[in-house]
Structures are given as structure tokens and as C-alpha cells.
Amino acid sequence: MSARFIDRAAFITGAGSGIGRATALRLAAEGATVAAADIDLPSAEETVAMIQQAGGKGFAVECDVAEEGSMRAASAEAARIAGRIDILFNNAGVAVRHPVGEQDVEGLDRVLRVNIRGAFLCAKSVLPYLTRPGGVIINTASIVGLVGVRNRAAYSLSKGAVITLTKNMALDYAHEGIRVNAVCPGFVDTGMTKGLFADAQKAERIRLMHPLGRFATADDIAAAVAFLASDDAAFITGQALAVDGGFTAGRPEDV
Ligand SMILES: NC(=O)c1ccc[n+]([C@@H]2O[C@H](COP(=O)([O-])OP(=O)(O)OC[C@H]3O[C@@H](n4cnc5c(N)ncnc54)[C@H](O)[C@@H]3O)[C@@H](O)[C@H]2O)c1
């Protein structure tokens, strides 16, 4: 494993589970000090224990990404403990699965609150501490922000917004030497998809939608985030990178 993040600090939201946890472990393995932030503090503490067990550095922070006061406090705490923030992985998110006609307003508000308001407030709170030049923001969008996937009206609306936020922020902060990109995962086996993958037939149908013939692992996404966070991606900003085994490349059927 390379060591691209020695003397750098990363603030990761949703670090207590799935993609956030895998990325926390990956960045720490490459030398970063990780602020593992989550609304579920014990899960973030578990991630930190895993980092430390592997010989890395990290600490847990409790936050609700959709609450400005909570995010301000969490960012200040992380910057104080780590002494700096070089990387923000803006990753916490929730999903709902319905077409517009069946989506209740409470579910709509919940997904927009965490995925859009959360991504916005998290960036706003961390920005004052972000290293300039050289700071990096990576947002977790989704393939459903790039193409339609049935039954995901509110969720795709939120992830499309994350992609437009990414592009706008890339332009707003380029002159300060801050890069802003998004990852767009295909279906990943995490807490979020547990219900979906419990149905074996559905899981198989979803697997076949990925031309490479498997779901993503959280480590696949973490590797892409580590690339975008690193100097290897020094000239990449404003991009939404699909990490999806070819899901968004087109129709996989031979016609
Ligand atoms: N799993 C997939 O197939 C998939 C595909 C594309 C995109 N994504 C996106 O990846 C991101 C991570 O999802 P995951 O699959 O790892 O899910 P997950 O449910 O395993 O993890 C999400 C984490 O976010 C935390 N969280 C939720 N609301 C929060 C809040 N208000 N403040 C702080 N933390 C909060 C949860 O406690 C949890 O630890 C999400 O943005 C999700 O939309 C997931």
C-alpha cells in the first residue's frame, strides 16, 4: 500500500459504516489522521478502534451533518485535535425507495435534509479549516445522480443535487487551490443495501446490471476516494467519477 497521506488529516462523515468506514481505514492505512464523524458515535468509535488496531491514527466525532451547530462544533473539534484538515469526505447519506406517487413527504424531507442540506452544511463548516492550497473535498453521490434507476425519485433527486453542488464548489474554490469531486458508486454491499440484497432474486438482478459481474465492495469505493484525495489527482476537479463496474456505460444486453 502506498502512503500518500502522511502528515495529512481527513474528516470523514458516515465513518461508522460501509463506504465511510472503508475509506477511513484506507486513508489511515496510507498515513492520514482520520476524524471519523457519524451521528452514531459508538459506530465511529468502532471504526477508530479498527484504525488503531491496524497501526493508524484516528479519533471519533459525533455530528448530525444536517444541523449547522452540530457540524460547526464537530469541524472545530476535528481541526483542534488533528491540527489541520486536508481532506473532507462528505459521505453520510440515507436512502428511500419509491416513485414520486408513493413517496411520502416525511421520507422526501429526510433524504433531502441529510443528503443535500447535510452535504452543503458539512462543506460550509469544514471549509474555514481546509488547507489552502491543496485541500480536497470528495462528495458521495451515486449512479442514480447520473442515470435514472426506477423507484428512487427522492434519492436520485438528492444525488443529482450532490453532483451539481460538486461542480459549483469546484468553480468557487479552484482559485484557492481546493479541488472538489464526487464519487458515484454503483450498488455496494453495505448497511444501506442490506434489505435489497436480502432478496436473493433481486440481488442477482442487480448484480447482472453491473457489466463487470459483481457488486462494488466498500473498498472499491474507498480506493477511488483515495485516488481523488491524493496528489495523483492534482489536476482533477469538478468531476463525478462513476465507480460502478460499467453500470452507467450503457445497456449490457447483446442486441
Ligand atoms: N450502498 C450503496 O449501494 C450506495 C450506492 C451509491 C451511493 N451510496 C452512498 O454512499 C454513502 C454511504 O452509504 P453506505 O452505503 O456506506 O451506507 P451506510 O448506511 O452503511 O452508512 C451511512 C452512515 O451515515 C451515517 N449517517 C446517517 N445520517 C447521518 C447524519 N445525519 N449525520 C451524520 N452521519 C449520518 C450513518 O450512521 C451510517 O454510519 C451515502 O451517501 C449513500 O447514499 C451508497
Side-chain angles (χ1 to χ4, degrees), residues 14-20 37-40 43 63-66 91-94 113-115 140-143 155 159 185-188 190-193:
S17 177
I19 293 168
D38 206 290
I39 199 166
D40 176 357
S43 71
C63 72
D64 179 346
V65 290
N91 164 74
V94 294
R113 180 178 174 279
V114 177
N115 296 6
T140 304
S142 167
I143 50 170
Y155 184 62
K159 293 303 188 178
F187 285 80
V188 193
T190 66
M192 184 173 278
T193 44

Side-chain angles (χ1 to χ4, degrees), residues 19-234:
I19 293 168
R21 172 173 284 174
T23 305
L25 289 165
R26 173 68 191 242
L27 297 190
E30 290 206 46
T33 298
V34 171
D38 206 290
I39 199 166
D40 176 357
L41 184 61
S43 71
E45 288 170 341
E46 225 174 87
T47 300
V48 170
M50 293 165 79
I51 288 173
Q52 290 171 344
Q53 213 162 24
K57 287 174 285 182
F59 55 92
V61 185
E62 186 173 9
C63 72
D64 179 346
V65 290
E67 287 301 323
E68 190 171 20
S70 167
M71 271 317 303
R72 275 207 191 145
S75 314
E77 188 185 344
R80 182 180 58 76
I81 296 172
R84 57 191 294 141
I85 302 178
D86 305 280
I87 300 160
L88 166 61
F89 183 35
N90 211 348
N91 164 74
V94 294
V96 286
R97 295 185 194 96
H98 297 292
V100 169
E102 289 159 35
Q103 178 63 63
D104 60 42
V105 174
E106 291 73 23
L108 170 69
D109 287 347
R110 182 160 43 88
V111 85
L112 300 188
R113 180 178 174 279
V114 177
N115 296 6
I116 301 180
R117 182 182 152 101
F120 189 102
L121 289 180
C122 195
K124 184 172 158 68
S125 308
V126 170
L127 265 170
Y129 305 103
L130 204 60
T131 303
R132 291 157 164 81
V136 182
I137 298 175
I138 296 135
N139 298 319
T140 304
S142 167
I143 50 170
V144 307
L146 296 169
V147 298
V149 175
R150 286 176 57 188
N151 284 323
R152 281 158 181 82
Y155 184 62
S156 66
L157 167 64
S158 75
K159 293 303 188 178
V162 168
I163 293 173
T164 53
L165 176 67
T166 300
K167 291 178 187 292
N168 271 276
M169 285 194 67
L171 298 176
D172 285 337
Y173 293 97
H175 72 283
E176 295 186 40
I178 292 174
R179 297 186 297 106
V180 187
N181 290 293
V183 282
C184 300
F187 285 80
V188 193
D189 194 358
T190 66
M192 184 173 278
T193 44
K194 211 180 280 171
L196 266 183
F197 291 168
D199 177 338
Q201 279 183 347
K202 191 173 272 187
E204 181 58 8
R205 276 209 313 278
I206 296 171
R207 185 183 70 78
L208 292 172
M209 291 175 189
H210 297 75
L212 287 183
R214 64 171 177 86
F215 306 119
T217 64
D219 287 342
D220 289 325
I221 313 306
V225 175
F227 163 67
L228 288 172
S230 78
D231 293 343
D232 293 336

